Each structure stands twice: as C-alpha cells, then as structure tokens.
Amino acid sequence: MTVTHTDRAVLFRSLHSPARPLALANAWDVASARVIEAAGAPAIATTSAGISWSLGRPDGDTLTRERVVDLVGRIVAAVGVPVSADIEGGYAQDAAGVGDTVERVLAAGAVGINIEDGTRPPAELGARLTAARAAAERAGASLFLNARIDTYLFGLGDPATRLKDTLERARGYVDAGADGIFVPGVVDAATIAELAAGVAVPLNIMAVPGAPDVAALGALGVARVSLGAGVAQAAYAATRMAAQQLYDTGAYHALADAIPFPELNGFFSGPR
C-alpha cells in the first residue's frame, strides 16, 4: 500500500489532541530520526538548533534553506512516519522568500513546519504565515503550520502583560493561517492552562526539566509536547562525558549504554 503525502498530513494533524498529546523527541539528522522512530515515535519533528550544530553553525537563522531542505528530504526518505520541519524564521528576508522555502520543504516531503517570531514584530510573522499558507495552497499540499511565539522563551515585554500579549499574538497568527501555536519557555501549570484555554488551535509546549510530564500537560489542555534541542544537547553531553572519561582516566565506562553496533547499523541496511 502506497502512503501519500496527503495520508501523512492527515495522520499528523489527527495526532494533535490533549487526550493523548503528540510527543516529539526532535531529531537533527537521519540517524537520530531513525532512532527516535524505532523508539515508537508517531511522527518526527526536527530541531533547528541540533541541525545547525551538526553542520557547524550556531542556532539562529544561520543556515541556508538549501541545506535544511536537503536534510528534511533525507529524513523523510529514511522514516515511515510524518515529518515536520523546523524552519526557524523561514530562511528568507521577506514573506515571499518564506513562501519559496515552504514550497521546497513540502516538495521534500514534510507535512508540517514550525516558524517562529523571535524578536520580529508580530505583524512580520503574520505576513510570513500568510505566505506559507498560500505556498501550500499553490502546491496543492496539506500543511500543518505551527507558529512559535517567543515571548516567554526570550522574556519579551512586560512580565505583567506577557500572557495577554502572547494570546494576542496567537489570535493574530491563527487569523494569518496558523494551525497550531507553540509557546516554549513556559513551565508553570497555571500559565499553561490559561494559554490552552485562550488558544483556539492545538497548543504546543516545550518540555524541559521542571515542566509537567506529558500526561499532566494533556490534562492542562496541551495537544503537542516537544523536546526541542534537548535530545541533541543530551547526545552531545554523552559525547563529552565519554571523551572526558577517556582522556581524564583512560576508562570508557560511559560506553556501557551505547546502542549496539548491529542494531544501529541495521537502521540503514536496506531500502525503506
């Protein structure tokens, strides 16, 4: 049975539910995507930070769209589940360029994207969301458009009005075409509940130490939970631990929990 782009898009959209939140352990290359899929992931989402680091760049819109689109295509070809791509601010100078990026990401096989406002004026992300939606319509492709609001992550504005400002941004982004709203940087249960109540589309929260677990977030109204760059950071921490142990003491106990070579190699032994 052939699974089409539309099939994957419909499945991906259906996974957004507070009853059982979509849990995403974000990948940054083909190997991490295959490992995450094998662990039981119903979908794969990428992390721009992890991708940037793996390519020798800092996070923060320093990549070219060509490198990101190439990697997204490789991940889509390597896994059997839907893929959503983190495209940061859109890898373009203006809304028209964002539309071009979205067309290429869709052509690479992704069924969802994350796009963020960062420190840009909300109206600018609104224009980029409108361009992204128009690009998907031109391509005749279904797209889950997840708009990231960075008010909490970056500590933007007056803390006393941050919740109100975030909800205002969310309403504007939904009007511009967003299918979901992502608010990283929030761990307080009461604030998360207010966000969920005030956002008319699925709410995405980033899980970090100190945040409620997935089930508890679902009870608060969250439909999607992402680990963001956290898995990549943990992988690099394991790399540092193994290296420091080797060079400090000559030991290599840190390798005891490594994925066995045959298992990892088997992820790439034969066609999908």
Side-chain angles (χ1 to χ4, degrees):
M1 177 181 175
T2 301
V3 179
T4 67
H5 185 278
T6 300
D7 294 333
R8 291 190 178 92
V10 169
L11 172 59
F12 185 67
R13 188 175 295 273
S14 74
L15 293 171
H16 292 75
S17 170
R20 187 178 181 181
L22 171 59
L24 296 168
N26 301 68
W28 61 96
D29 61 11
V30 172
S32 60
R34 289 289 290 119
V35 169
I36 291 168
E37 181 186 36
I44 296 294
T46 64
T47 161
S48 64
I51 292 172
S52 297
W53 299 331
S54 73
L55 295 175
R57 301 293 300 170
D59 188 34
D61 285 302
T62 66
L63 294 173
T64 64
R65 68 160 67 104
E66 289 76 17
R67 299 193 80 174
V68 173
V69 169
D70 177 72
L71 178 57
V72 170
R74 290 173 185 273
I75 290 174
V76 169
V79 302
V81 296
V83 174
S84 181
D86 181 352
I87 63 167
E88 303 191 67
Y91 302 122
Q93 296 299 312
D94 54 24
V98 171
D100 185 43
T101 298
V102 171
E103 287 183 5
R104 298 189 194 192
V105 170
L106 285 167
V111 299
I113 63 167
N114 267 34
I115 186 168
E116 62 203 47
D117 54 13
T119 57
R120 297 181 182 87
E124 186 172 340
L125 181 60
R128 291 177 179 227
L129 289 165
T130 299
R133 178 60 61 206
E137 291 175 356
R138 285 195 302 272
S142 180
L143 171 68
F144 192 96
L145 186 51
N146 205 33
R148 194 180 98 177
I149 299 176
D150 287 328
T151 46
Y152 284 92
L153 186 65
F154 294 161
L156 302 178
D158 184 349
T161 60
R162 189 166 293 148
L163 176 62
K164 176 177 176 290
D165 294 343
T166 301
L167 290 172
E168 287 180 356
R169 290 190 186 210
R171 284 189 285 272
Y173 295 162
V174 171
D175 289 344
D179 297 296
I181 294 294
F182 181 22
V183 187
V186 182
V187 297
D188 174 66
T191 303
I192 292 170
E194 289 191 72
L195 286 168
V199 172
V201 294
L203 175 66
N204 182 184
I205 292 295
M206 186 163 68
V208 296
D213 64 21
V214 173
L217 287 170
L220 294 172
V222 174
R224 175 168 166 174
V225 181
S226 305
L227 297 187
V231 181
Q233 290 173 264
Y236 292 128
T239 302
R240 181 170 64 183
M241 181 183 298
Q244 286 185 332
Q245 187 179 81
L246 177 65
Y247 301 129
D248 291 348
T249 70
Y252 27 85
H253 306 305
L255 302 182
D257 294 328
I259 297 175
F261 184 93
E263 179 183 351
L264 191 55
N265 203 45
F267 288 147
F268 311 101
S269 299
R272 285 289 304 167

